[in-house]
Amino acid sequence: MKFLQPTTLDEALAAKAEHPHALPIAGGTDVMVELNFDKHRPAALLDLNRVDELAQWAPEDGHIRLGAGVSYTRVIDELADRLPGLAMAARTVGSPQIRNRGTVGGNLGAASPAGDSHPALLAADAVVEVASVRGTRQIRVTDFFTGVKRNALDRDELITAILIAPSTGPQQFCKIGTRNAMVIAVSAFGLALHPERRRVGTGIGSAAPTPRRAHGAEDFLSAALDDEGLWDSRAELPETLATEFGGRVRDAASPIDDVRGSAAYRLHSLAVMARRALAWAWHDYRTSTSDGRA
Amino acid sequence: MSTPTRTPTGAPRELAGPTTGGVGANAQRPDAALKVTGEFAYGSDLWTDDMLWGVTLRSPRPYARIRSIEIGEALAVPGVHAVLTAEDVPGRNVCGLELSDQPVLAEGVVRYQGEPVALVAADHPEIARQAAKKIRVDYDVWEPVTDPMAALGHPTWNQVHDQPAEVSGLSRESAPIHPDGNLVRHLKIRKGEPAPTADVVVTGEYTVGMQDQAFLGPESGLAMPAEDGGVDLYVSTQWLHVDQKQVCAALGLPLEKVRLTLAGVGGAFGGREDLSMHVHACLLALRTGRPVKMVYDREESFFGHVHRHPAMMRYEHGATREGKLVHVRCEIYFDGGAYASSTPAVVGNGGTMGIGPYVVPNVHVDAYGVYTNNPPCGAMRGFGSVQAAFGYEAQMDKLAAALGMDPVELRCRNAMELGSESPTGQIVDSPAPVAELLRRLEAMPLPPEHGAGTAPDLRDLPGGVGNTTHGEGVVRGVGYAVGYKNVGFSEGYDDYSTARVRLEVIGGAPAVTVHTAAAEVGQGLVTIEQQICRTELGVDEVVVHPKDTGVGSGGSTSASRQTYMTGGAVKAACEQVREQLFGLAQQRLGRTVADLRLEGGKVVSDRQGVLGALADILGDEVIEETVEWRHRPTEPIDPEAGQGFAHVQYAFAAHRAVVDVDVELGLVKVVELACTQDVGKAINPEAVIGQIQGGTGQGLGLAVMEEILVKGGEIRNPSFTDYLIPTILDMPPMRIEVLEYPDPHAPYGLRGVGEPPTISSGPAVVAAIRQATGRALTRVPVRPEYITGT
Ligand SMILES: Cc1cc2nc3c(=O)[nH]c(=O)nc-3n(C[C@H](O)[C@H](O)[C@H](O)COP(=O)(O)OP(=O)(O)OC[C@H]3O[C@@H](n4cnc5c(N)ncnc54)[C@H](O)[C@@H]3O)c2cc1C
């Protein structure tokens, strides 16, 4: 097996162009498991750990530009105020060791329907920046997942960064697992309120072939909040509204039965999580200052 | 964790005099520092320069006829030194713990998914793995027999359990999987009236899923061919001598040519009682003339050892209006999978102790052990008792509800005690503080409720860091359970252990070497052996000889028996050494002294004071004694009524579980587990606490998450990604009270410790979840779906 170790992004992109079959490795928390279980025998590994450009984050044009190689631990420690939904999701990933190594870029690379960052990125309307020697593309995260463990990357492309707008309203992330830590999601839900746009963002995990948004629920709730003037009044949220929202989130999912849980439970739990998450987010919104910050 | 308390209850006076680290002390493990610093050598660390690596080709099918096996292509791979199949087994191609029914390598038929079919030895494990893939096995696939009742031709129950979607896979087949049919054992107990009547009767059906031992150190060993044509095997195991016997039979070699030494064991819990790679590595080593190492990875480990028997149970309990048990009827089916392993003993325990530690005049039990094409099941901590306790304790709560009585009160009214008669007609002849264990739990303060208004830490809530509730839907429940287990081997088995103790002067100071073949699997037997030698011989320096077959059998490290049995053997050997030493001392003194004892490296008389230093008395003499030690004999139970003195000792533990359940999402947080256990005498109090905590955790795991999911005979989750064991966020703090009521028949009055806490913790957790949810919850592990009804 070839081991490629570029030290700059240009070198990395050149290496990927030259060896399109090379498997990128960031934290390695997915890659090494696959290798150890003999699920994957790549001809070459492309180690991205020395590429400094990928390991940085910075505010840029009103977004946070999160390098693909930034670890979950750093997201939690450094970005919880600006990207609360993603930080909450990061907090639920694996164990401290996995959070120290694992990256959001790797999560997107693996594109598992159970990837925990995905619902948060979907709810926040994030954009995935990918690059190759041919140039750079920006892909909306909604369009990024193309099938079970498949994503929109071309063979010569790498994920370079994730662009996420800092939160303008409360965000939540919930994840069901059958133990209280270190567990792959049975189902997960991400929620972001975007008061400035009067929109609600959602993300569903582990309950469809890919992570997906609950468009119907988003439209329903955004409209209802508008119609009843709730964005401005910040009045209490009618319980029926939250329940209806939960139901519509559930309806957007198409889960399967597997060893981790039944399809019926996944649907049920999504409805409950969505209702609760909305209640918490709305409570935060009501008690926050007018710029939306809690 | 809160500080555990010990309740002295008239145990014998501390035996540890000025010698430190004796019986009753918290002596440190001899391997503690090595383990904590990561330097301890486990079986998987074994290494010789010229060794080859062995791998196993396993059947992907649960049930099939092997039409042919083509090994040519595999043999041709450069770096491959041998490819072996059943034809290459020189001795009898059969092994098994209690019944010899399992081929070393499949011969004509495979009976479970994962059954070993062929072996490869190569220069590198990777080469061996690749070569194994080139072995062509042509299978004629048969429909697997997967339902234990159907396998016996019994009508299957109309169970209303919430079966997990993945688990059913029923087959109506009852074709015999083995020549003598699918019944491994049927145990009957018929005590009292055949048709009793009671004021209040409750019935229930319960199911226990398949648990894995989940030891962290996978199966591993190294076989070294020897010049005498024999083999030396270094292996992680639980019982060297029973392995030796089976390896010899398969290799066609006499005992003296197959020598076993215990390699570092990373946990066992019953899963290493059967052979894994033992014969395989020896076959490859003898064929190639090279040392051969085999190590399973986690996935292979799930196929490479037996699991806890799944059980289906049906109970009927009858009581008077005052809450006195009148009768218990119970039927239990243990699914033994493809080979017998410990199934007969599991049926023995599950049958004889299947109604719990209660006094019941009329008992009717049918316990069955069955062959199916599911993964083979065998020994796991508390076997037989663990499964039954989920049934009988659920029934006790159900009965209490029907009577409108407090569940602890009901249990205490029927609790077994010293002098009670067991369902097998055995008189309990040592303390059985069942009621006291429960009353002590009841008296413990309950953990505080979450403070109103303040947001609790997510880690303290059901769902944990998953952030699924901030208190919504959370209901607290409290549940109690008690259980019991036989210590040592039962039903007339000739159960013994052997100890060799040597006393000599090394570097001017007296030193003891203790040599037994009893496996140290992490439980701390090595410490116990040292402690007993220190106390009995008054010598601080005690060396534990490596465990090997150079000394007689220590029996199995199972059935909570080693402190009792090997401890008893070491004690007896020490006593003989001491007698010899006293003889020598009196010879040296030239007179008889009646009241000699050993203390702090000196021979002392109460009346005459110090008579001399051990080192001086011994001089160049070496005193060595080997003792084969037995517990008092037990009896087989009779086949029709199940009566007899079956068990040498019972051990009891009880738990109170406090849980918070998110009733809307079906998620559980165990808030506290309190345990009371009678250990007779805590030889090493800290080790006792460790056993109680660990056993409790394993019981909790079975109650709420641990299950090997099998469908159509195939394991669906052979990895720690989906076979979940509790983390620190799942295991709550414990309150522990250790009682010490000595058993007059046992060395130092001690009682086996390892298994009882695994028996009652799970049922207590499930009882607490039932209280919180109002659901019947008849199947464990309890999945969120069972609570939410989705
Ligand atoms: C014990 C354990 C627990 C886990 N728990 C969780 C959990 O709770 N939630 C969860 O979501 N995941 C979990 N995971 C999975 C894993 O940790 C995450 O998916 C993590 O985000 C992967 O990041 P990584 O940097 O380690 O990726 P790697 O393993 O390095 O790579 C993952 C994939 O992404 C590709 N890749 C990586 N970087 C790039 C790039 N810049 N451009 C293109 N492709 C790239 C790789 O080629 C590979 O296909 C767990 C894993 C383990 C071992």
Side-chain angles (χ1 to χ4, degrees):
Chain A
M1 186 189 296
K2 260 209 167 72
F3 191 62
L4 309 166
Q5 258 194 325
T7 54
T8 65
L9 183 58
D10 285 344
E11 276 175 34
L13 296 177
K16 188 66 175 147
E18 197 185 331
H19 306 276
H21 291 298
L23 184 70
I25 176 165
T29 57
D30 278 319
V31 169
M32 292 312 296
V33 173
E34 300 242 304
L35 292 187
N36 285 336
F37 278 142
D38 206 13
K39 298 246 164 72
H40 215 81
R41 286 179 171 264
L45 279 183
L46 177 59
D47 176 18
L48 301 176
N49 282 282
R50 300 191 175 185
V51 180
D52 202 40
E53 292 100 311
L54 299 178
Q56 309 297 335
W57 67 265
E60 199 179 282
D61 300 335
H63 284 92
I64 300 294
R65 187 174 185 285
L66 179 69
V70 175
S71 71
Y72 291 114
T73 300
R74 286 186 60 197
V75 170
I76 298 163
D77 291 348
E78 300 167 26
L79 288 164
D81 54 345
R82 277 161 284 191
L83 307 177
L86 185 62
M88 289 170 93
R91 179 70 188 84
T92 72
V93 172
S95 58
Q97 296 88 333
I98 298 296
R99 294 193 288 274
N100 286 340
R101 291 292 309 161
T103 64
V104 179
N107 214 214
L108 288 165
S112 160
D116 284 325
S117 71
H118 307 150
L121 296 177
L122 286 165
D125 256 333
V127 169
V128 184
E129 182 192 274
V130 306
S132 70
V133 289
R134 296 175 288 125
T136 298
R137 298 196 284 155
Q138 295 197 340
I139 308 171
R140 291 187 61 197
V141 74
T142 0
D143 303 325
F144 186 76
F145 306 108
T146 55
V148 179
K149 300 196 175 183
R150 282 191 296 124
N151 60 34
L153 283 183
D154 278 337
R155 284 164 19 119
D156 61 345
E157 282 179 324
L158 292 175
I159 302 164
T160 45
I162 301 98
L163 311 177
I164 320 162
S167 70
T168 55
Q171 302 187 346
Q172 284 292 337
F173 175 82
C174 316
K175 162 179 167 181
I176 302 265
T178 34
R179 74 179 163 197
N180 289 317
M182 201 38 196
V183 66
I184 298 190
V186 170
S187 58
F189 179 69
L191 175 72
L193 301 187
H194 306 293
E196 84 292 358
R197 288 189 278 136
R198 305 198 165 222
R199 288 292 302 175
V200 174
T202 60
I204 291 173
S206 287
T210 65
R212 62 164 68 149
R213 285 168 58 170
H215 291 288
E218 291 179 9
D219 293 344
F220 161 78
L221 183 60
S222 304
L225 293 173
D226 248 348
D227 290 350
E228 304 192 22
L230 289 166
W231 287 116
D232 297 323
S233 73
R234 295 179 187 239
E236 230 171 287
L237 194 75
E239 226 178 270
T240 48
L241 200 62
T243 305
E244 179 65 23
F245 173 69
R248 287 179 187 238
V249 167
R250 177 191 57 214
D251 294 345
S254 45
I256 54 165
D257 286 327
D258 67 15
V259 293
R260 293 177 194 146
S262 66
Y265 176 75
R266 289 189 156 104
L267 293 172
H268 166 78
S269 60
L270 275 171
V272 175
M273 285 191 291
R275 167 164 53 76
R276 288 182 183 175
L278 176 58
W280 303 330
W282 194 256
H283 174 82
D284 288 349
Y285 180 64
R286 296 188 65 213
T287 52
S288 63
T289 55
S290 56
D291 70 355
R293 283 286 170 79
Chain B
M1 304 236 169
S2 25
T3 324
T5 51
R6 289 172 68 201
T7 311
T9 38
R13 138 194 106 80
E14 289 301 313
L15 291 153
T19 310
T20 53
V23 168
N26 285 321
Q28 206 190 63
R29 302 177 60 102
D31 53 6
L34 288 176
K35 282 186 168 165
V36 172
T37 55
E39 288 166 280
F40 182 82
Y42 288 96
S44 50
D45 299 317
L46 291 165
W47 191 275
T48 60
D49 281 342
D50 56 342
M51 71 186 187
L52 302 174
W53 293 79
V55 306
T56 317
L57 179 74
R58 296 175 181 275
S59 167
R61 305 291 186 177
Y63 201 22
R65 188 170 67 84
I66 298 175
R67 286 203 196 94
S68 64
I69 306 178
E70 290 292 328
I71 63 168
E73 216 183 315
L75 255 181
V77 174
V80 168
H81 293 255
V83 179
L84 307 181
T85 65
E87 288 174 9
D88 301 297
V89 178
R92 293 182 60 217
N93 182 21
V94 67
C95 57
L97 205 50
E98 297 184 25
L99 306 173
S100 290
D101 64 351
Q102 180 160 10
V104 170
L105 289 170
E107 206 173 315
V109 181
V110 288
R111 296 184 180 85
Y112 71 97
Q113 181 203 26
E115 179 154 1
V117 174
L119 306 167
V120 179
D123 292 329
H124 190 278
E126 183 59 23
I127 296 174
R129 275 194 291 270
Q130 293 312 313
K133 287 184 188 160
K134 295 192 158 58
I135 300 172
R136 306 266 166 258
V137 187
D138 184 10
Y139 293 104
D140 176 13
V141 176
W142 292 341
E143 177 76 9
V145 177
T146 58
D147 182 85
M149 290 184 210
L152 293 183
H154 292 188
T156 41
W157 297 335
N158 236 347
Q159 300 197 82
V160 284
H161 303 307
D162 327 90
Q163 293 279 353
E166 288 285 314
V167 182
S168 45
L170 296 190
S171 152
R172 296 280 153 196
E173 296 292 319
S174 58
I177 298 161
H178 290 273
D180 293 336
N182 295 337
L183 179 66
V184 182
R185 182 175 183 191
H186 175 197
L187 180 149
K188 289 191 267 187
I189 295 178
R190 303 286 184 267
K191 182 174 191 250
E193 296 280 319
T197 53
D199 299 337
V200 179
V201 174
V202 294
T203 60
E205 285 176 15
Y206 306 91
T207 307
V208 177
M210 186 186 291
Q211 189 179 23
D212 188 60
Q213 296 84 354
F215 43 70
L216 292 186
E219 293 79 352
S220 55
L222 177 70
M224 313 262 283
E227 282 179 1
D228 64 353
V231 62
D232 292 285
L233 175 65
Y234 298 80
V235 65
S236 274
T237 186
Q238 285 180 240
W239 187 359
L240 290 164
H241 283 77
V242 84
D243 294 353
Q244 184 190 31
K245 231 194 271 173
Q246 296 173 79
V247 174
C248 285
L251 298 179
L253 288 174
L255 281 180
E256 65 275 11
K257 291 222 168 157
V258 177
R259 295 154 297 253
L260 273 71
T261 303
L262 186 69
V265 183
F269 311 109
R272 291 187 216 270
E273 255 194 327
D274 294 84
L275 297 185
S276 57
M277 44 58 65
H278 305 51
V279 181
H280 299 161
C282 292
L283 285 171
L284 291 170
L286 290 172
R287 173 62 70 97
T288 60
R290 299 265 295 269
V292 172
K293 173 170 174 164
M294 294 183 84
V295 182
Y296 295 174
D297 63 17
R298 179 56 55 191
E299 181 170 341
E300 185 171 17
S301 181
F302 273 101
F303 295 98
H305 64 256
V306 297
H307 315 289
R308 186 189 294 294
H309 288 69
M312 294 154 109
M313 308 178 280
R314 180 187 252 174
Y315 280 90
E316 178 183 300
H317 279 62
T320 65
R321 247 169 236 106
E322 295 70 41
K324 270 286 189 193
L325 283 167
V326 175
H327 74 272
V328 179
R329 288 181 77 91
C330 117
E331 250 181 297
I332 309 181
Y333 289 83
F334 290 106
D335 183 352
Y339 295 103
S341 181
S342 301
T343 297
V346 173
V347 171
N349 292 355
T352 59
M353 289 170 289
I355 67 163
Y358 302 112
V359 181
V360 186
N362 307 296
V363 181
H364 186 112
V365 175
D366 287 288
Y368 304 91
V370 189
Y371 284 127
T372 64
N373 294 114
N374 289 323
C377 290
M380 183 175 172
R381 199 176 199 168
F383 67 54
S385 290
V386 164
Q387 292 94 331
F390 280 103
Y392 63 71
E393 287 300 82
Q395 284 287 104
M396 291 303 278
D397 286 340
K398 203 168 182 177
L399 184 59
L403 288 162
M405 188 177 284
D406 175 76
V408 170
E409 178 61 32
L410 175 67
R411 286 175 171 84
C412 291
R413 282 192 192 179
N414 295 284
M416 195 177 253
E417 57 190 19
L418 179 66
S420 298
E421 191 180 300
S422 78
T424 60
Q426 179 173 346
I427 302 301
V428 178
D429 60 3
S430 72
V434 175
E436 182 180 348
L437 293 173
L438 288 160
R439 292 296 185 203
R440 281 178 179 273
L441 285 171
E442 208 176 28
M444 291 182 195
L446 283 163
E449 300 272 344
H450 297 295
T454 58
D457 188 315
L458 283 178
R459 289 170 298 185
D460 295 332
L461 287 166
V465 293
N467 186 41
T468 50
T469 179
H470 296 171
E472 297 89 340
V474 176
V475 181
R476 181 155 288 191
V478 180
Y480 290 84
V482 61
Y484 77 141
K485 173 76 182 38
N486 56 326
V487 173
F489 282 20
S490 296
E491 299 185 61
Y493 188 88
D494 180 26
D495 193 13
Y496 70 93
S497 179
T498 316
R500 180 175 299 152
V501 172
R502 178 185 171 98
L503 175 64
E504 65 201 309
V505 178
I506 297 176
V512 174
T513 305
V514 55
H515 188 182
T516 76
E520 166 66 44
V521 300
Q523 84 279 34
L525 179 66
V526 286
T527 327
I528 299 293
E529 291 179 356
Q530 290 182 315
Q531 290 180 259
I532 290 174
C533 291
R534 290 189 190 114
T535 289
E536 297 302 331
L537 297 175
V539 173
D540 285 335
E541 183 59 30
V542 180
V543 175
V544 180
H545 188 283
K547 310 285 192 169
D548 59 25
T549 49
V551 65
S553 175
S556 180
T557 293
S558 65
S560 305
R561 66 180 280 290
Q562 286 297 20
T563 300
Y564 191 133
M565 296 303 299
T566 295
V570 170
K571 179 171 187 277
C574 286
E575 283 161 1
Q576 290 197 8
V577 167
R578 198 171 54 202
E579 279 318 301
Q580 291 231 25
L581 181 71
F582 288 162
L584 191 65
Q586 294 175 88
Q587 206 182 318
R588 298 254 202 266
L589 287 167
R591 61 189 150 94
T592 329
V593 187
D595 63 345
L596 289 179
R597 54 195 172 80
L598 288 169
E599 211 172 278
K602 298 194 171 60
V603 178
V604 201
S605 150
D606 276 338
R607 265 171 284 158
Q608 303 179 24
V610 175
L611 297 176
L614 237 168
D616 298 335
I617 291 167
L618 264 175
D620 292 337
E621 295 274 344
V622 174
I623 304 177
E624 183 177 285
E625 288 292 333
T626 305
V627 170
E628 208 169 80
W629 191 83
R630 288 173 163 74
H631 60 66
R632 54 196 174 125
T634 57
E635 301 168 350
I637 55 171
D638 75 273
E640 288 315 312
Q643 300 298 294
F645 183 87
H647 303 304
V648 69
Q649 184 185 63
Y650 294 116
F652 305 87
H655 281 86
R656 181 186 70 191
V658 180
V659 305
D660 280 342
V661 184
D662 182 337
V663 297
E664 223 181 340
L665 286 174
L667 301 178
V668 174
K669 168 78 186 176
V670 182
V671 175
E672 190 198 79
L673 267 165
C675 179
T676 50
Q677 183 169 340
D678 174 28
V679 304
K681 163 76 187 167
I683 304 293
N684 186 318
E686 265 179 13
V688 165
I689 296 300
Q691 287 294 315
I692 293 174
Q693 290 169 337
T696 299
Q698 222 153 12
L700 176 152
L702 177 56
V704 295
M705 64 181 82
E706 290 191 40
E707 182 173 9
I708 295 183
L709 296 163
V710 179
K711 187 182 182 186
E714 297 185 13
I715 298 182
R716 312 303 306 273
N717 56 339
S719 81
F720 281 163
T721 308
D722 285 311
Y723 183 87
L724 301 181
I725 52 179
T727 70
I728 191 69
L729 287 189
D730 301 285
M731 182 65 196
M734 287 193 70
R735 265 177 223 278
I736 298 171
E737 281 185 22
V738 174
L739 275 62
E740 297 183 272
Y741 288 113
D743 175 350
H745 310 286
Y748 307 110
L750 73 84
R751 224 173 261 288
V753 171
E755 293 171 293
T758 318
I759 297 165
S760 44
S761 82
V765 168
V766 180
I769 302 174
R770 281 193 197 100
Q771 204 208 39
T773 61
R775 294 248 175 206
L777 301 178
T778 56
R779 188 183 191 285
V780 293
V782 175
R783 298 172 69 97
E785 286 92 333
Y786 306 169
I787 296 172
T788 59
T790 50

